[in-house]
């Protein structure tokens, strides 16, 4: 056999090995329903065009279809009641040692307060009207003004209100001390409770949480990029990158087909690495990504998909997932 034939045979053997190692024909499919994650609980929707992290989404609210304001106890309870398995919430440390559950870095968009959220006490934040800035008609009317006074909860209140439900906590900063503070709160919980909580957000605080609370699955901006790119690079071998272990793997729907063994073999590998996969909407670059929020987006998921789904429209997606 000449050298060309030897090379061709070696390449054919390698290709066959890669195929067999990644084909879903030989992968175990886990039966069961998808795991639904409600982003911010039951939230008011808004125009998502040309969004950035600092866009005032309350001023771009769509006409309301329900009474709930995001990141409140009531909105989380409604999210679970609508079919969510997990609710996502956002936190900021306060000057009096609490964690405020609130999305925005500043107060000026949604509330009648002003300034950076983390530069205030929880006592001050409790006095604010978190529905003050919502408008669907360019400021002509404010349907939730006066209805959100005192509704900004603390993380302690959320943990007490939902002692058994799964939660995803978003750390909004890159401050390592915030990771220290959050780890201290989580480490007061029983280990089995910590295993029901996930944390994502800024690299530095999430890294601290990852080190100090090993029962908690985590992901940060840099580790999710590292996880997915490295898996695309050498996941054909079956080796799971370290960044993908004990993690919450956030996966845009348009990236999923590029992953070796998608869906079942990939999901199995992540499960073996103690990680959980959540599919988001299409990512097109920039600072904002959507969820699986429409029947059309849901239809792009694999048939009988039993992994995680990130949605901003739990009331619309849950009926589709529970059929």
């Amino acid at each position: 056999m000449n050298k060309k034939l030897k090379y061709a045979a070696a390449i054919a053997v390698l290709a066959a090995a890669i195929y067999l190692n990644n084909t879903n024909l030989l992968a175990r499919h886990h039966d069961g329903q998808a795991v639904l994650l409600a982003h911010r609980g039951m939230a008011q929707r808004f125009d998502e065009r040309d969004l950035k992290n600092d866009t005032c989404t309350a001023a771009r609210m769509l006409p309301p279809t329900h009474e709930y304001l995001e990141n409140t106890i009531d909105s989380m309870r409604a999210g679970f009641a609508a079919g969510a398995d997990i609710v996502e919430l956002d936190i900021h440390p306060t000057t009096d040692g609490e964690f405020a559950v609130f999305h925005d870095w500043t107060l000026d968009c949604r509330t009648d307060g002003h300034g950076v959220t983390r530069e205030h006490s929880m006592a001050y934040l409790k006095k604010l009207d978190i529905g003050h800035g919502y408008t669907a008609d360019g400021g002509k009317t404010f349907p939730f003004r006066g209805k959100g006074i005192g509704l900004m909860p603390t993380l302690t209140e959320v943990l007490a209100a939902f002692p058994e439900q799964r939660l995803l906590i978003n750390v909004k900063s890159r401050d390592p001390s915030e990771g220290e503070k959050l780890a201290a709160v989580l480490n007061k919980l029983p280990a089995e409770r910590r295993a029901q909580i996930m944390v994502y957000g800024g690299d530095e605080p999430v890294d601290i949480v990852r080190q100090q609370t090993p029962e908690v699955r985590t992901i940060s901006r840099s580790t999710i990029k590292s996880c997915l790119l490295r898996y695309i690079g050498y996941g054909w071998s079956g080796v799971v990158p370290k960044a993908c272990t004990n993690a919450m793997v956030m996966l845009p729907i348009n990236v999923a087909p590029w992953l070796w063994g998608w869906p079942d073999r990939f999901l199995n590998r992540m499960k073996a690495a103690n990680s959980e996969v959540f599919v988001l909407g299409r990512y097109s670059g920039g600072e904002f990504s959507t969820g699986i929020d429409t029947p059309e987006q849901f239809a792009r998921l694999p048939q009988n998909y039993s992994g995680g789904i990130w949605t901003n429209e739990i009331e619309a997606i849950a009926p589709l997932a529970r059929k």
Side-chain angles (χ1 to χ4, degrees):
M1 184 181 292
N2 60 37
K3 288 185 177 180
K4 287 185 178 180
L5 288 176
K6 287 182 179 179
Y7 286 141
I11 291 172
V13 170
L14 178 61
I18 291 175
Y19 173 79
L20 290 173
N21 197 38
N22 292 281
T23 178
N24 278 288
L25 295 176
L26 303 175
R28 178 187 175 190
H29 175 76
H30 292 275
D31 294 325
Q33 295 180 328
V35 178
L36 302 182
L37 189 156
H39 185 214
R40 308 186 201 174
M42 191 87 82
Q44 296 299 322
R45 302 297 292 126
F46 47 82
D47 185 346
E48 296 180 349
R49 291 174 295 182
D50 303 318
L51 286 180
K52 296 183 179 179
N53 283 338
D54 58 353
T55 299
C56 179
T57 57
R60 302 174 62 163
M61 181 182 69
L62 299 177
T65 59
H66 59 75
E67 62 185 3
Y68 300 105
L69 297 173
E70 65 181 53
N71 277 306
T72 62
I73 299 289
D74 285 346
S75 77
M76 296 175 202
R77 188 172 288 117
F80 284 121
D85 300 290
I86 307 168
V87 162
E88 186 265 3
L89 58 124
D90 308 287
I91 62 169
H92 301 266
T94 64
T95 58
D96 49 358
E98 296 278 3
F99 275 107
V101 177
F102 184 68
H103 177 270
D104 296 357
W105 187 258
T106 60
L107 299 169
D108 303 73
C109 169
R110 293 179 204 283
T111 83
D112 51 349
H114 302 285
V116 176
T117 305
R118 62 192 289 138
E119 293 178 357
H120 293 284
S121 68
M122 197 67 224
Y124 170 79
L125 297 175
K126 281 286 189 183
K127 298 176 182 178
L128 299 180
D129 175 12
I130 63 170
H132 183 83
Y134 284 85
T135 179
D137 53 15
K140 296 177 182 178
T141 60
F142 294 86
F144 297 107
R145 184 164 288 184
K147 299 178 180 179
I149 299 172
L151 293 187
M152 189 187 302
T154 66
L155 177 58
T156 300
E157 289 171 336
V158 171
L159 292 171
F162 306 102
E164 298 180 354
Q165 288 92 336
R166 299 185 64 191
L167 300 170
L168 169 62
I169 299 172
N170 182 12
V171 180
K172 304 296 291 186
S173 79
R174 297 191 60 177
D175 182 358
S177 69
E178 188 169 345
E180 296 273 358
K181 294 173 184 176
L182 179 57
V185 171
L186 297 178
N187 280 327
K188 293 178 182 178
L189 302 173
E192 59 271 18
R193 179 64 179 127
R194 290 197 295 274
Q196 296 177 301
I197 294 172
M198 298 181 292
V199 174
Y200 79 115
D203 297 330
E204 295 83 357
V206 170
D207 187 54
I208 295 292
V209 172
R210 188 178 182 90
Q211 294 174 32
Q212 297 187 8
T213 58
E215 298 89 356
V216 174
R217 292 188 181 103
T218 60
I219 203 72
S220 69
R221 294 179 181 90
S222 66
T223 53
I224 188 57
K225 182 178 180 180
S226 176
C227 167
L228 296 180
L229 289 179
R230 293 186 182 191
Y231 186 84
I232 290 171
Y234 58 79
W236 58 268
S237 67
V239 175
V240 175
K242 183 178 180 181
C244 298
T245 63
N246 195 38
M248 175 198 180
V249 179
M250 299 164 68
L251 176 59
I253 188 70
N254 56 318
V255 175
W258 294 91
L259 300 178
W260 297 98
W262 172 257
D264 289 330
R265 195 172 290 271
F266 174 75
L267 293 174
N268 291 343
R269 287 171 178 166
M270 293 302 108
K271 184 176 182 180
N274 195 37
S275 295
E276 195 165 3
V277 177
F278 290 86
V279 175
L280 293 80
R282 180 181 180 83
Y283 179 69
S284 303
E287 300 174 333
F288 184 80
S289 60
T290 62
I292 302 297
D293 299 332
T294 66
E296 293 75 19
Q297 291 170 326
F298 182 83
R300 294 187 61 183
L301 293 168
Q303 188 174 10
N304 299 321
Y305 174 73
S306 60
I309 298 175
W310 175 297
T311 182
N312 298 293
E313 295 277 5
I314 185 63
E315 64 273 36
I317 297 303
L320 299 176
R322 301 307 187 218
K323 283 185 179 180

